[in-house]
Amino acid sequence: MPDHDPEELDSFAAILTQLLPGTWTRELRQHTAHDDQFFLTADVWDMNRVADALAQHALKQDVILTSEDGRRLFLMDHPRYEDEFLVAAMAPADTHAEAFRGVPEPDGITITADPEQAAAAIATQLLPRYETALAQVQDNALGLNRASAQPDTLVLNWTESGDLTATTDRAEVAEVLTAHGFVHDPGQQTYVASGDDTAHQARCVRAAGAALGALNIGVTLRNAPHRGTPATRPLPAPRPAGANTVRSR
């Protein structure tokens, strides 16, 4: 592999930082062990020529170019031609792997040793693909974060007798329910808040709902039948259009 002198690679990178759009910094890295390169280049966002070069050649040095907004470019010597380099985007760090699903890699390009031509090629060929892929990954990551932030939901079902029952196989949920007045019915594998005293029943649901909310678990009431006016104040029945959710303050 016709590696350039490290100072030559670094000098070329320094000129690129001045010519690329925006503000960029650089970091020259030198590698003493071939095995290290697979860990150090794991974020290179390429499945084409740059990936092939890294797989087939020992990497002695590279440069990481970093923009002010955190974008990173990977620069290395071309494995065959002394007057060329390879440059590729680097994937955003600390991003869930699922966020990359379905997003094409913004594969790297070959650039000449002429800094002005190289910067122009990066700006017109690589960076637009990088921006598109990065925006897709960030959007996917946002969707994943929103999904993970949504609480689980425990469904409380009304019975014809006015009891509220819940079924769960989660120990922490069962512990909350029993701690706040629900009684475990092992025969039905349910937890029951009796409707004999609806005021007490409502207090149990509110207390359990608040405790479950602290665990990021919502509580939903479903399937309330029509009931006559009880002797004590009832727990409000769900709206006909759908289920109510008990929320803690």
Side-chain angles (χ1 to χ4, degrees):
M1 182 174 181
D3 294 299
H4 294 85
D5 181 90
E7 292 186 3
E8 182 180 354
L9 179 64
D10 190 46
S11 297
F12 179 76
I15 300 174
L16 284 181
T17 63
Q18 302 302 312
L19 297 175
L20 289 172
T23 302
W24 295 77
T25 58
R26 73 189 191 281
E27 177 192 0
L28 174 67
R29 307 188 303 181
Q30 299 186 62
H31 312 292
T32 57
H34 178 56
D35 291 343
D36 292 345
Q37 77 182 56
F38 299 105
F39 171 75
L40 295 171
T41 63
D43 288 342
V44 174
W45 208 355
D46 182 284
M47 291 295 288
N48 199 346
R49 67 190 73 184
V50 180
D52 288 343
L54 290 172
Q56 297 177 24
H57 301 275
L59 185 67
K60 295 182 180 179
Q61 60 205 20
D62 61 48
V63 173
I64 305 300
L65 304 175
T66 305
S67 71
E68 58 188 338
D69 60 4
R71 290 173 299 166
R72 296 178 297 157
L73 297 176
F74 173 82
L75 177 68
M76 64 177 286
D77 298 306
H78 196 290
R80 296 178 59 190
Y81 305 110
E82 292 185 2
D83 58 347
E84 293 183 350
F85 299 89
L86 293 175
V87 61
M90 298 191 75
D94 301 324
T95 301
H96 196 288
E98 190 66 20
F100 294 88
R101 182 184 295 273
V103 180
E105 288 80 5
D107 290 331
I109 60 174
T110 300
I111 54 176
T112 72
D114 182 310
E116 291 188 357
Q117 291 183 13
I122 293 171
T124 59
Q125 299 176 39
L126 177 57
L127 289 182
R129 292 202 302 267
Y130 188 13
E131 295 289 354
T132 299
L134 188 60
Q136 291 176 327
V137 168
Q138 290 172 339
D139 186 62
N140 291 345
L142 182 61
L144 291 171
N145 290 337
R146 286 174 177 169
S148 64
Q150 293 296 319
D152 294 333
T153 301
L154 177 71
V155 178
L156 299 180
N157 291 298
W158 294 96
T159 67
E160 292 183 0
S161 64
D163 294 342
L164 278 168
T165 65
T167 302
T168 182
D169 56 3
R170 296 175 58 174
E172 69 273 26
V173 174
E175 183 178 348
V176 167
L177 292 175
T178 55
H180 294 91
F182 284 75
V183 177
H184 184 214
D185 181 349
Q188 299 295 323
Q189 289 300 311
T190 59
Y191 295 82
V192 182
S194 173
D196 292 342
D197 182 344
T198 55
H200 174 72
Q201 183 187 61
R203 288 194 295 270
C204 292
V205 173
R206 284 194 294 268
L212 291 170
L215 300 176
N216 202 34
I217 300 172
V219 177
T220 297
L221 309 182
R222 289 184 181 170
N223 302 325
H226 177 73
R227 292 180 293 168
T229 303
T232 57
R233 184 168 60 88
L235 185 70
R239 297 176 183 176
N244 290 338
T245 300
V246 177
R247 295 186 176 91
S248 61
R249 297 190 177 189

mmCIF file with all atom_site columns, all heavy atoms in Angstrom, residues 51-65:
data_model
loop_
_atom_site.group_PDB
_atom_site.id
_atom_site.type_symbol
_atom_site.label_atom_id
_atom_site.label_alt_id
_atom_site.label_comp_id
_atom_site.label_asym_id
_atom_site.label_entity_id
_atom_site.label_seq_id
_atom_site.pdbx_PDB_ins_code
_atom_site.Cartn_x
_atom_site.Cartn_y
_atom_site.Cartn_z
_atom_site.occupancy
_atom_site.B_iso_or_equiv
_atom_site.pdbx_formal_charge
_atom_site.auth_seq_id
_atom_site.auth_comp_id
_atom_site.auth_asym_id
_atom_site.auth_atom_id
_atom_site.pdbx_PDB_model_num
ATOM 1   N N   . ALA A 1 51 ? -14.708 0.431  2.322  1.00 0.00 ? 51 ALA A N   1
ATOM 2   C CA  . ALA A 1 51 ? -14.819 -0.813 3.099  1.00 0.00 ? 51 ALA A CA  1
ATOM 3   C C   . ALA A 1 51 ? -13.901 -1.892 2.527  1.00 0.00 ? 51 ALA A C   1
ATOM 4   O O   . ALA A 1 51 ? -13.249 -2.628 3.279  1.00 0.00 ? 51 ALA A O   1
ATOM 5   C CB  . ALA A 1 51 ? -16.267 -1.289 3.106  1.00 0.00 ? 51 ALA A CB  1
ATOM 6   N N   . ASP A 1 52 ? -13.844 -1.978 1.198  1.00 0.00 ? 52 ASP A N   1
ATOM 7   C CA  . ASP A 1 52 ? -12.961 -2.964 0.570  1.00 0.00 ? 52 ASP A CA  1
ATOM 8   C C   . ASP A 1 52 ? -11.499 -2.682 0.902  1.00 0.00 ? 52 ASP A C   1
ATOM 9   O O   . ASP A 1 52 ? -10.731 -3.609 1.186  1.00 0.00 ? 52 ASP A O   1
ATOM 10  C CB  . ASP A 1 52 ? -13.156 -2.949 -0.952 1.00 0.00 ? 52 ASP A CB  1
ATOM 11  C CG  . ASP A 1 52 ? -14.483 -3.559 -1.373 1.00 0.00 ? 52 ASP A CG  1
ATOM 12  O OD1 . ASP A 1 52 ? -15.094 -4.269 -0.548 1.00 0.00 ? 52 ASP A OD1 1
ATOM 13  O OD2 . ASP A 1 52 ? -14.899 -3.319 -2.514 1.00 0.00 ? 52 ASP A OD2 1
ATOM 14  N N   . ALA A 1 53 ? -11.119 -1.407 0.846  1.00 0.00 ? 53 ALA A N   1
ATOM 15  C CA  . ALA A 1 53 ? -9.728  -1.055 1.134  1.00 0.00 ? 53 ALA A CA  1
ATOM 16  C C   . ALA A 1 53 ? -9.359  -1.398 2.569  1.00 0.00 ? 53 ALA A C   1
ATOM 17  O O   . ALA A 1 53 ? -8.266  -1.921 2.840  1.00 0.00 ? 53 ALA A O   1
ATOM 18  C CB  . ALA A 1 53 ? -9.506  0.429  0.866  1.00 0.00 ? 53 ALA A CB  1
ATOM 19  N N   . LEU A 1 54 ? -10.269 -1.143 3.496  1.00 0.00 ? 54 LEU A N   1
ATOM 20  C CA  . LEU A 1 54 ? -9.994  -1.438 4.904  1.00 0.00 ? 54 LEU A CA  1
ATOM 21  C C   . LEU A 1 54 ? -9.931  -2.943 5.149  1.00 0.00 ? 54 LEU A C   1
ATOM 22  O O   . LEU A 1 54 ? -9.180  -3.404 6.015  1.00 0.00 ? 54 LEU A O   1
ATOM 23  C CB  . LEU A 1 54 ? -11.077 -0.810 5.785  1.00 0.00 ? 54 LEU A CB  1
ATOM 24  C CG  . LEU A 1 54 ? -11.061 0.729  5.865  1.00 0.00 ? 54 LEU A CG  1
ATOM 25  C CD1 . LEU A 1 54 ? -12.292 1.230  6.609  1.00 0.00 ? 54 LEU A CD1 1
ATOM 26  C CD2 . LEU A 1 54 ? -9.792  1.213  6.558  1.00 0.00 ? 54 LEU A CD2 1
ATOM 27  N N   . ALA A 1 55 ? -10.727 -3.700 4.388  1.00 0.00 ? 55 ALA A N   1
ATOM 28  C CA  . ALA A 1 55 ? -10.744 -5.148 4.578  1.00 0.00 ? 55 ALA A CA  1
ATOM 29  C C   . ALA A 1 55 ? -9.509  -5.818 3.997  1.00 0.00 ? 55 ALA A C   1
ATOM 30  O O   . ALA A 1 55 ? -9.067  -6.857 4.491  1.00 0.00 ? 55 ALA A O   1
ATOM 31  C CB  . ALA A 1 55 ? -12.002 -5.741 3.955  1.00 0.00 ? 55 ALA A CB  1
ATOM 32  N N   . GLN A 1 56 ? -8.918  -5.216 2.960  1.00 0.00 ? 56 GLN A N   1
ATOM 33  C CA  . GLN A 1 56 ? -7.848  -5.882 2.238  1.00 0.00 ? 56 GLN A CA  1
ATOM 34  C C   . GLN A 1 56 ? -6.452  -5.339 2.520  1.00 0.00 ? 56 GLN A C   1
ATOM 35  O O   . GLN A 1 56 ? -5.469  -5.971 2.134  1.00 0.00 ? 56 GLN A O   1
ATOM 36  C CB  . GLN A 1 56 ? -8.131  -5.777 0.730  1.00 0.00 ? 56 GLN A CB  1
ATOM 37  C CG  . GLN A 1 56 ? -9.415  -6.473 0.297  1.00 0.00 ? 56 GLN A CG  1
ATOM 38  C CD  . GLN A 1 56 ? -9.715  -6.285 -1.179 1.00 0.00 ? 56 GLN A CD  1
ATOM 39  O OE1 . GLN A 1 56 ? -8.813  -6.038 -1.978 1.00 0.00 ? 56 GLN A OE1 1
ATOM 40  N NE2 . GLN A 1 56 ? -10.993 -6.385 -1.546 1.00 0.00 ? 56 GLN A NE2 1
ATOM 41  N N   . HIS A 1 57 ? -6.367  -4.209 3.206  1.00 0.00 ? 57 HIS A N   1
ATOM 42  C CA  . HIS A 1 57 ? -5.058  -3.587 3.400  1.00 0.00 ? 57 HIS A CA  1
ATOM 43  C C   . HIS A 1 57 ? -4.869  -3.158 4.853  1.00 0.00 ? 57 HIS A C   1
ATOM 44  O O   . HIS A 1 57 ? -5.818  -2.715 5.510  1.00 0.00 ? 57 HIS A O   1
ATOM 45  C CB  . HIS A 1 57 ? -4.894  -2.364 2.495  1.00 0.00 ? 57 HIS A CB  1
ATOM 46  C CG  . HIS A 1 57 ? -5.038  -2.673 1.042  1.00 0.00 ? 57 HIS A CG  1
ATOM 47  N ND1 . HIS A 1 57 ? -3.992  -3.122 0.267  1.00 0.00 ? 57 HIS A ND1 1
ATOM 48  C CD2 . HIS A 1 57 ? -6.119  -2.608 0.214  1.00 0.00 ? 57 HIS A CD2 1
ATOM 49  C CE1 . HIS A 1 57 ? -4.412  -3.319 -0.974 1.00 0.00 ? 57 HIS A CE1 1
ATOM 50  N NE2 . HIS A 1 57 ? -5.702  -3.019 -1.034 1.00 0.00 ? 57 HIS A NE2 1
ATOM 51  N N   . ALA A 1 58 ? -3.646  -3.306 5.321  1.00 0.00 ? 58 ALA A N   1
ATOM 52  C CA  . ALA A 1 58 ? -3.306  -2.825 6.661  1.00 0.00 ? 58 ALA A CA  1
ATOM 53  C C   . ALA A 1 58 ? -3.267  -1.308 6.641  1.00 0.00 ? 58 ALA A C   1
ATOM 54  O O   . ALA A 1 58 ? -2.653  -0.692 5.768  1.00 0.00 ? 58 ALA A O   1
ATOM 55  C CB  . ALA A 1 58 ? -1.960  -3.386 7.096  1.00 0.00 ? 58 ALA A CB  1
ATOM 56  N N   . LEU A 1 59 ? -3.944  -0.697 7.593  1.00 0.00 ? 59 LEU A N   1
ATOM 57  C CA  . LEU A 1 59 ? -4.035  0.756  7.661  1.00 0.00 ? 59 LEU A CA  1
ATOM 58  C C   . LEU A 1 59 ? -2.976  1.279  8.627  1.00 0.00 ? 59 LEU A C   1
ATOM 59  O O   . LEU A 1 59 ? -2.975  0.922  9.805  1.00 0.00 ? 59 LEU A O   1
ATOM 60  C CB  . LEU A 1 59 ? -5.438  1.160  8.138  1.00 0.00 ? 59 LEU A CB  1
ATOM 61  C CG  . LEU A 1 59 ? -5.765  2.646  8.165  1.00 0.00 ? 59 LEU A CG  1
ATOM 62  C CD1 . LEU A 1 59 ? -5.798  3.206  6.745  1.00 0.00 ? 59 LEU A CD1 1
ATOM 63  C CD2 . LEU A 1 59 ? -7.110  2.874  8.858  1.00 0.00 ? 59 LEU A CD2 1
ATOM 64  N N   . LYS A 1 60 ? -2.090  2.107  8.137  1.00 0.00 ? 60 LYS A N   1
ATOM 65  C CA  . LYS A 1 60 ? -1.029  2.659  8.982  1.00 0.00 ? 60 LYS A CA  1
ATOM 66  C C   . LYS A 1 60 ? -1.394  4.019  9.563  1.00 0.00 ? 60 LYS A C   1
ATOM 67  O O   . LYS A 1 60 ? -0.882  4.399  10.615 1.00 0.00 ? 60 LYS A O   1
ATOM 68  C CB  . LYS A 1 60 ? 0.276   2.779  8.183  1.00 0.00 ? 60 LYS A CB  1
ATOM 69  C CG  . LYS A 1 60 ? 0.848   1.436  7.748  1.00 0.00 ? 60 LYS A CG  1
ATOM 70  C CD  . LYS A 1 60 ? 2.157   1.609  7.001  1.00 0.00 ? 60 LYS A CD  1
ATOM 71  C CE  . LYS A 1 60 ? 2.736   0.266  6.573  1.00 0.00 ? 60 LYS A CE  1
ATOM 72  N NZ  . LYS A 1 60 ? 4.004   0.419  5.810  1.00 0.00 ? 60 LYS A NZ  1
ATOM 73  N N   . GLN A 1 61 ? -2.271  4.737  8.884  1.00 0.00 ? 61 GLN A N   1
ATOM 74  C CA  . GLN A 1 61 ? -2.640  6.068  9.343  1.00 0.00 ? 61 GLN A CA  1
ATOM 75  C C   . GLN A 1 61 ? -3.955  6.480  8.704  1.00 0.00 ? 61 GLN A C   1
ATOM 76  O O   . GLN A 1 61 ? -4.345  5.964  7.659  1.00 0.00 ? 61 GLN A O   1
ATOM 77  C CB  . GLN A 1 61 ? -1.556  7.078  8.961  1.00 0.00 ? 61 GLN A CB  1
ATOM 78  C CG  . GLN A 1 61 ? -1.342  7.161  7.451  1.00 0.00 ? 61 GLN A CG  1
ATOM 79  C CD  . GLN A 1 61 ? 0.039   7.644  7.069  1.00 0.00 ? 61 GLN A CD  1
ATOM 80  O OE1 . GLN A 1 61 ? 0.976   7.579  7.860  1.00 0.00 ? 61 GLN A OE1 1
ATOM 81  N NE2 . GLN A 1 61 ? 0.175   8.142  5.849  1.00 0.00 ? 61 GLN A NE2 1
ATOM 82  N N   . ASP A 1 62 ? -4.643  7.392  9.354  1.00 0.00 ? 62 ASP A N   1
ATOM 83  C CA  . ASP A 1 62 ? -5.845  7.998  8.788  1.00 0.00 ? 62 ASP A CA  1
ATOM 84  C C   . ASP A 1 62 ? -6.053  9.339  9.469  1.00 0.00 ? 62 ASP A C   1
ATOM 85  O O   . ASP A 1 62 ? -5.361  9.676  10.436 1.00 0.00 ? 62 ASP A O   1
ATOM 86  C CB  . ASP A 1 62 ? -7.077  7.089  8.934  1.00 0.00 ? 62 ASP A CB  1
ATOM 87  C CG  . ASP A 1 62 ? -7.412  6.777  10.384 1.00 0.00 ? 62 ASP A CG  1
ATOM 88  O OD1 . ASP A 1 62 ? -7.466  7.705  11.212 1.00 0.00 ? 62 ASP A OD1 1
ATOM 89  O OD2 . ASP A 1 62 ? -7.634  5.592  10.708 1.00 0.00 ? 62 ASP A OD2 1
ATOM 90  N N   . VAL A 1 63 ? -7.007  10.086 8.963  1.00 0.00 ? 63 VAL A N   1
ATOM 91  C CA  . VAL A 1 63 ? -7.360  11.371 9.561  1.00 0.00 ? 63 VAL A CA  1
ATOM 92  C C   . VAL A 1 63 ? -8.871  11.421 9.722  1.00 0.00 ? 63 VAL A C   1
ATOM 93  O O   . VAL A 1 63 ? -9.617  11.030 8.813  1.00 0.00 ? 63 VAL A O   1
ATOM 94  C CB  . VAL A 1 63 ? -6.894  12.558 8.695  1.00 0.00 ? 63 VAL A CB  1
ATOM 95  C CG1 . VAL A 1 63 ? -7.423  13.881 9.255  1.00 0.00 ? 63 VAL A CG1 1
ATOM 96  C CG2 . VAL A 1 63 ? -5.374  12.603 8.625  1.00 0.00 ? 63 VAL A CG2 1
ATOM 97  N N   . ILE A 1 64 ? -9.313  11.887 10.874 1.00 0.00 ? 64 ILE A N   1
ATOM 98  C CA  . ILE A 1 64 ? -10.735 12.114 11.119 1.00 0.00 ? 64 ILE A CA  1
ATOM 99  C C   . ILE A 1 64 ? -10.975 13.617 11.042 1.00 0.00 ? 64 ILE A C   1
ATOM 100 O O   . ILE A 1 64 ? -10.378 14.393 11.789 1.00 0.00 ? 64 ILE A O   1
ATOM 101 C CB  . ILE A 1 64 ? -11.179 11.581 12.494 1.00 0.00 ? 64 ILE A CB  1
ATOM 102 C CG1 . ILE A 1 64 ? -10.811 10.106 12.652 1.00 0.00 ? 64 ILE A CG1 1
ATOM 103 C CG2 . ILE A 1 64 ? -12.681 11.782 12.673 1.00 0.00 ? 64 ILE A CG2 1
ATOM 104 C CD1 . ILE A 1 64 ? -11.431 9.199  11.633 1.00 0.00 ? 64 ILE A CD1 1
ATOM 105 N N   . LEU A 1 65 ? -11.846 14.017 10.120 1.00 0.00 ? 65 LEU A N   1
ATOM 106 C CA  . LEU A 1 65 ? -12.249 15.411 9.992  1.00 0.00 ? 65 LEU A CA  1
ATOM 107 C C   . LEU A 1 65 ? -13.604 15.566 10.680 1.00 0.00 ? 65 LEU A C   1
ATOM 108 O O   . LEU A 1 65 ? -14.539 14.799 10.409 1.00 0.00 ? 65 LEU A O   1
ATOM 109 C CB  . LEU A 1 65 ? -12.368 15.811 8.522  1.00 0.00 ? 65 LEU A CB  1
ATOM 110 C CG  . LEU A 1 65 ? -11.124 15.607 7.643  1.00 0.00 ? 65 LEU A CG  1
ATOM 111 C CD1 . LEU A 1 65 ? -11.440 15.944 6.190  1.00 0.00 ? 65 LEU A CD1 1
ATOM 112 C CD2 . LEU A 1 65 ? -9.973  16.468 8.147  1.00 0.00 ? 65 LEU A CD2 1
#
